[in-house]
Amino acid sequence: MSPQPEPAPTTPGMTFEQMLERIRYEGLYPTREKAEEVMRAVLGALGRQLTGDERAELAARLPVEAALTLTAQQPETEPLTGLGFVKDLATRTGSTPGTARWDTGAVLATITHLTGPGLIDRILAQLPSGYALLFGRAELTQAA
């Protein structure tokens, strides 16, 4: 039996403009345009990593403009680790890995606020190691 999708959070969703303002605040970006540029780059990169129900459910919880950015990307056949994700984002955006990590944190903190912990737990279970820190969580591993 497959797990049932969790209900959407009880708090009302954000508009696209509210989402950009939250990303602007989280990332300390000077303009809404910079926040939108970062959001599109990070969500596009995340869209290349996610598949299945988690991808669809995340898209359903995002404002339409952000959801279209996420779902416009074809998932990669070989998912990247968290570090690989940041390096790939840096290469695609022409930034440093440090800047790409900062940008990722600003966007994913906003996504976490929008979706709630249950969906994030399922997303993290799908992705290779290294993503928990990008979502602002400790990455716990079991001792061998």
Side-chain angles (χ1 to χ4, degrees):
M1 175 180 266
S2 65
Q4 294 295 317
E6 68 185 67
T10 55
T11 57
M14 291 181 189
T15 66
F16 186 62
E17 290 75 24
Q18 289 169 327
M19 181 181 182
L20 292 179
E21 280 306 311
R22 175 108 186 191
I23 292 168
R24 182 177 174 199
Y25 173 80
E26 292 284 343
L28 303 171
Y29 301 114
T31 64
R32 184 177 160 256
E33 290 76 20
K34 178 61 178 175
E36 183 171 352
E37 174 187 319
V38 166
M39 182 274 309
R40 291 191 185 285
V42 173
L43 283 183
L46 187 60
R48 289 188 290 278
Q49 300 304 307
L50 289 179
T51 60
D53 292 341
E54 290 77 18
R55 177 184 169 103
E57 192 172 338
L58 177 57
R61 294 189 190 188
L62 295 174
V64 171
E65 300 89 338
L68 291 173
T69 300
L70 177 81
T71 58
Q73 302 299 315
Q74 289 291 346
E76 297 284 336
T77 55
E78 285 294 320
L80 299 170
T81 64
L83 179 59
F85 179 90
V86 170
K87 287 180 176 179
D88 182 63
L89 182 63
T91 299
R92 289 174 186 265
T93 61
S95 67
T96 66
T99 298
R101 170 62 181 93
W102 181 270
D103 293 345
T104 299
V107 174
L108 296 185
T110 302
I111 300 270
T112 298
H113 178 76
L114 266 169
T115 64
L119 178 56
I120 299 304
D121 289 344
R122 291 190 359 253
I123 288 171
L124 290 173
Q126 180 188 115
L127 295 170
S129 68
Y131 282 87
L133 291 173
L134 299 177
F135 279 91
R137 294 183 172 188
E139 182 143 5
L140 304 176
T141 59
Q142 292 184 345

